Amino acid sequence: MRISLLQPVIDRPGPWASVYADIAHSTEDAVKQQELTASATTAQLFALGADEATCGAVHEALLMRHEGESGEHSGRVLFAAHGEVVLDTPLPGPPATPFAAWGPVPRVTPFLAAVGDDPVCLVVRLDRAGADFAVLGERGTEDAGQVSGADWTLHRTASGDWSEGHFRAKVENTWEHNAGEIADAVRKAFEECGAEAVVLIGDARERHLVHDKLPEPLRALTYESEHGGRAPGAESALVDRDIAQVRAVQERERIAQVADRFRTGAGPGGKSAPHAAAGIPALVEAAREHRIDTLLVSPHGSDIARQLWVGSEADQLGVRGTELQYLGEPRPAAARADDALVRSAAASGADIVVVRDPERAPSGGLGALLRWTDADTADGARH
């Protein structure tokens, strides 16, 4: 999940303007529509109580055109506070429901639901001489280095005499050696970047050689694309499609694993004691104690819009406003349960997983896997 992108929003006190906008581009009156959207949005924020400086910053941002925006419409989300737009980022498409909100915590849950889990993927473009690595994740595409194999001549000849046969054997051995070097580099890069899958791009024989030399656990997470290659200009839309499909598979599998762990209550290392929390009171307590390891959120649960009380600090939250006085917040404010818990969990380094499947989602739409429980603490004290 794109928690690092949201960190400036999570760490900064509010109140916050949250805007999910549908921006017109290629229609004849696109500029006029953009101006109307900006004016209507800022008027709505002002009516909700937003200060003039923040409304002005949002209005100016909504009038700007961003590079890479295409199609008739695109979605954008903006978070602004204290007269400054802190985050302005595109959505994968127009928002399901454009809206503007003003409140003590940012409305980040619809953003997380729109962008998905966004698993990290290691992309390896290879040939017989080496490979180039790139990491695709929440920060976009990043160069992750390269590896070069042995510099023997790597082309076979058509001659059939003994010396040429001996040379061809050396070439074959060089290919095998380079495949092993690339496979070892793939393993190291995979471990260093925290990827969840690998995509090999190159000629079939070279892909298969490298794939076969990977350690078995990594081999199971490695996919091959028959499109594209290492040479300049070898990229195509089909490569992007293959990578997107691999990341979609990883996202589904990861969400299923998290949901299964939540259902069984399994803790770190397969511990059988209940390491899951459900229900607003239990989740609030776990958030205040920084015990949430992974927060599960369903976009359509009955608890997500329930009212919680929050303070300026992320771990200042409670079911009742009077609880905040004991946490050092003299002026608590009301907020949605999903956004309050997302802010608190993310601030403590927890992961956030959006579970769209109603069959797998927690009852009420909110749940958590815990870092530890009271039972763990008691066991530690006994030992």
Side-chain angles (χ1 to χ4, degrees), residues 3 39 50 62 104 155 160 212 215 230 255 266 270 293 301 334 353 361:
I3 300 303
S39 298
L62 287 173
H155 299 288
D212 291 344
R230 191 185 185 197
I255 291 173
D293 176 78
V353 171

Side-chain angles (χ1 to χ4, degrees), residues 190-340:
F190 179 83
E191 294 172 352
E192 290 173 0
C193 73
E196 299 169 59
V198 177
V199 178
L200 301 179
I201 300 171
D203 290 342
R205 186 176 187 276
E206 293 146 13
R207 296 196 315 264
H208 299 338
L209 274 174
V210 172
H211 190 279
D212 291 344
K213 292 182 180 296
L214 293 170
E216 178 56 38
L218 180 53
R219 205 179 307 159
L221 300 174
T222 300
Y223 302 78
E224 298 183 34
S225 170
E226 61 183 16
H227 307 106
R230 191 185 185 197
E235 290 301 292
S236 71
L238 293 176
V239 174
D240 294 336
R241 182 204 65 184
D242 291 345
I243 295 172
Q245 289 177 345
V246 168
R247 298 178 77 195
V249 168
Q250 291 301 309
E251 178 179 9
R252 289 195 298 270
E253 291 182 353
R254 181 171 182 273
I255 291 173
Q257 291 171 358
V258 170
D260 289 344
R261 279 185 58 198
F262 175 78
R263 187 174 61 253
T264 61
K271 293 181 180 179
S272 58
H275 278 75
I280 295 296
L283 290 169
V284 166
E285 181 180 0
R288 286 199 301 232
E289 297 174 355
H290 301 181
R291 288 191 288 119
I292 294 179
D293 176 78
T294 304
L295 182 69
L296 290 77
V297 182
S298 171
H300 308 295
S302 58
D303 283 343
I304 61 174
R306 280 186 56 178
Q307 179 177 282
L308 292 183
W309 293 89
V310 299
S312 58
E313 300 295 329
D315 54 3
Q316 292 177 321
L317 70 167
V319 178
R320 293 174 296 276
T322 53
E323 297 177 47
L324 273 295
Q325 298 175 6
Y326 298 102
L327 299 174
E329 175 54 63
R331 292 184 296 275
R336 286 173 55 108
D338 56 352
D339 292 316

Side-chain angles (χ1 to χ4, degrees), residues 40-58:
T41 300
T42 50
Q44 183 181 358
L45 287 171
F46 192 75
L48 291 171
D51 60 276
E52 187 174 342
T54 299
C55 289
V58 169

